[in-house]
Amino acid sequence: GKIQYDRLAKTELFQNGLNRILSGVKKGYRLALMCAEKEPLECHRTILVARHLAALGVPIVHIHADGHLETHEAALERLARMLNMWEDHMFCSREELVAQTYRRQEERVAYEVAEPTPSPVVKEVAQ
């Protein structure tokens, strides 16, 4: 009942979307992917779309509600601090820590299907 971003990112539809964005970037367009969220870290575009675009070398800049700009790397570092993720770990690489940071935030913000509310049972009364 909860979206799993890692599985979604492997779908053909998602990959087609990334390719469409990359095509626009290669043509020299400056693209803006908009959202209603005030905080980029609470938006799936940061946790899902920007993550994969950044991994492909696309520069990502988040626009905050007050107009200030934040690079994706700075946003990711802020997220790691917010989630109390440590920067250096004896048993994990930086890539593993980044993946764990994304997973933790995904758990917090991923869309979840609400439990359906049962319909009221109506019984006929024999007359």
Side-chain angles (χ1 to χ4, degrees):
K2 194 172 208 175
I3 190 88
Q4 295 177 358
Y5 290 151
D6 58 335
R7 291 181 67 189
L8 179 62
K10 294 175 186 171
T11 66
E12 183 179 348
L13 185 61
F14 182 82
Q15 292 301 314
N16 289 343
L18 286 184
N19 289 334
R20 190 169 174 207
I21 293 167
L22 291 172
S23 175
V25 169
K26 287 177 185 172
K27 290 178 183 176
Y29 293 112
R30 293 182 67 176
L31 303 176
L33 305 178
M34 304 302 286
C35 176
E37 303 290 343
K38 283 178 130 181
E39 168 56 66
L41 297 179
E42 294 176 5
C43 177
H44 75 282
R45 284 172 183 79
T46 298
I47 306 304
L48 175 62
V49 181
R51 172 185 187 175
H52 291 280
L53 289 173
L56 294 170
V58 176
I60 306 294
V61 178
H62 301 285
I63 306 170
H64 286 260
D66 66 2
H68 85 272
L69 304 177
E70 180 180 42
T71 66
H72 187 66
E73 186 62 31
L76 188 55
E77 289 173 12
R78 185 166 58 89
L79 177 61
R81 285 191 309 273
M82 185 177 88
L83 297 176
N84 296 316
M85 300 295 292
W86 52 98
E87 290 186 25
D88 295 316
H89 190 277
M90 185 180 295
F91 302 109
C92 293
S93 68
R94 172 153 170 57
E95 292 77 23
E96 290 169 322
L97 288 173
V98 167
Q100 287 177 20
T101 301
Y102 278 122
R103 274 193 298 276
R104 281 194 187 175
Q105 186 65 353
E106 176 185 322
E107 282 295 316
R108 296 179 70 231
V109 302
Y111 175 78
E112 191 168 356
V113 176
E115 291 285 328
T117 55
S119 300
V121 177
V122 178
K123 295 183 182 181
E124 287 187 32
V125 178
Q127 295 195 11

